[in-house]
Amino acid sequence: MANTFLYFDHSATTATDPRVIEAMLPYFNTLYGNPSSLYSVGAEARKALEKARATIAEVLGARPNEIIFTSCGTESDNLALRGTTLAARCTGNHIITTAIEHHAVSNTCVQLEREFGFQVTYLPVDPDGLVDPDAVGRAITPHTALISIMYANNEVGTIEPIAEISRIARRHGIPFHTDAVQAPGLLPLNVDELAVDMLSISGHKFYAPKGIGILYVRQGTRLLPTQTGGGQERGMRAGTENIPYIVGMARALELADSTRLSEVPRLSRLRDRLISGIVESIPDAILTGSRNQRLASHASFVFPGVEGEAVVLKLSMLGIGASSGSACSSGDEGPSHVLSAMGLQHPVARGSLRLTLGRENTEQDVDRVLKELPGVIASLRAMSPFYNAEGTIAVQPVKSL
Ligand code: PLP
């Protein structure tokens, strides 16, 4: 049993950076005012709020009044989707999204479909998990009110051609939203270069605390507020602002942005070592997601003949924290909707494992995984009805990758 715990699940969440905690601390009990109050502690809180907004706007290449603070990535996605489509419901009733979105987007689409009469096109993806920009163009109708396509997929790490797709949306005058929750610190976030109208971010994916998020909304985009009340955030998201967390998230985004260019090559080297080591040492291991259009931090696989959750539990007993697909879908019945959309079906898709790297991971950590994982997979396969003694898969993937 290992005496150190190695964390390989940074796509699920990250530890709060001590520099972020330090920036937050005064706003709990010294500068604790409500930013709407007129006296001094209120004014201090207001100053901190607007400074954080300006910092975030600068990283995104946006105007400060285009930044809306929310409670998480899920809320940002909900506000973007429900807010724009309900604002446009008299003129448009059609939404375009993909089959591989996070449930924060896909379940909101399902609700808009069932309860509000919208029609939703769920675009397919290729075996790498990539959306075809031409398919987006073909799906547009005179009634399309919104296009929402994620920047990078949380389960398989595939990076979507957002800048290309957003320009198609712009040519048709359709608002374009991207769920960029997996992007900070790993991908460029300039909203003009990406040509997006709305972009969702969640603090806990880049070393800020859980429970704080951002929705960027380009000036001029029509949005019906989904949370009404005291008029905070220019009336777009009522509720007293969470100043310590907003200050922390601004600091975290600044840090993530300033280290991105050095961290991405380092993480990519670790990721590539992990991918080639696993594919070479474990028979029939399949890399899921694109080999090239892939987040620097992300390695994901399926191992036919095993259950992903069993792999995760065995790794946990060895002191390694990983996940089987998305943290948010654990407990779901059946194989992942992302792997199914990529053509991998039950039971092969059940053997999924996601290893996601972060700031503290080293080559030695990767070597530990490469040492332990082959034995874990072999021991589980020895008990599997789907993997025979000769080492061949008894059930083939429906479509090979
Ligand atoms: N979108 C993506 C792509 C995610 O990976 C996640 C979380 O894993 C979310 C949205 C939801 O973010 P939050 O946990 O802040 O609600």
Side-chain angles (χ1 to χ4, degrees), residues 193-342:
E193 281 163 24
L194 292 172
V196 296
D197 300 307
M198 286 168 287
L199 177 138
S200 303
I201 292 181
S202 172
H204 72 105
K205 307 292 184 176
F206 53 96
Y207 308 92
K210 293 156 203 49
I212 190 74
I214 298 165
L215 180 65
Y216 158 78
V217 182
R218 186 175 294 279
Q219 203 166 294
T221 308
R222 285 192 62 216
L223 196 71
L224 187 77
T226 54
Q227 184 161 305
T228 47
Q232 291 91 348
E233 298 301 282
R234 295 179 298 109
M236 288 298 143
R237 198 274 185 180
T240 302
E241 300 88 344
N242 186 348
I243 303 299
Y245 281 51
I246 288 170
V247 168
M249 180 169 60
R251 180 77 182 115
L253 193 62
E254 213 175 16
L255 290 166
D257 188 56
S258 65
T259 52
R260 182 170 65 85
L261 293 182
S262 56
E263 192 59 354
V264 164
R266 188 189 77 85
L267 288 172
S268 302
R269 275 193 298 277
L270 294 181
R271 174 200 65 191
D272 292 345
R273 187 181 171 97
L274 200 52
I275 291 175
S276 50
I278 288 174
V279 169
E280 280 160 23
S281 65
I282 301 179
D284 303 316
I286 301 169
L287 176 72
T288 55
S290 168
R291 182 68 194 85
N292 303 317
Q293 298 302 312
R294 172 171 211 108
L295 289 173
S297 57
H298 202 292
S300 56
F301 308 88
V302 290
F303 303 106
V306 302
E307 291 282 331
E309 277 168 18
V311 180
V312 169
L313 289 175
K314 284 218 165 208
L315 285 176
S316 164
M317 282 154 62
L318 294 163
I320 296 167
S323 75
S324 173
S326 152
C328 312
S329 62
S330 55
D332 277 5
E333 289 291 312
S336 123
H337 67 289
V338 176
L339 298 182
S340 297
M342 289 163 56

Side-chain angles (χ1 to χ4, degrees), residues 1-2 5 11 29 39-40 42 78 85 100 129 134 146 186 202 231-232 236 238 261 273 361-362 369-370 374 386 399:
M1 176 74 184
F5 179 73
S11 282
N29 58 0
Y39 41 78
S40 62
N78 271 255
T85 54
I100 59 161
D134 291 339
L146 175 72
L186 298 168
S202 172
Q232 291 91 348
M236 288 298 143
L261 293 182
R273 187 181 171 97
N361 288 127
T362 63
V369 173
L370 295 179
F386 299 118
K399 229 190 222 174

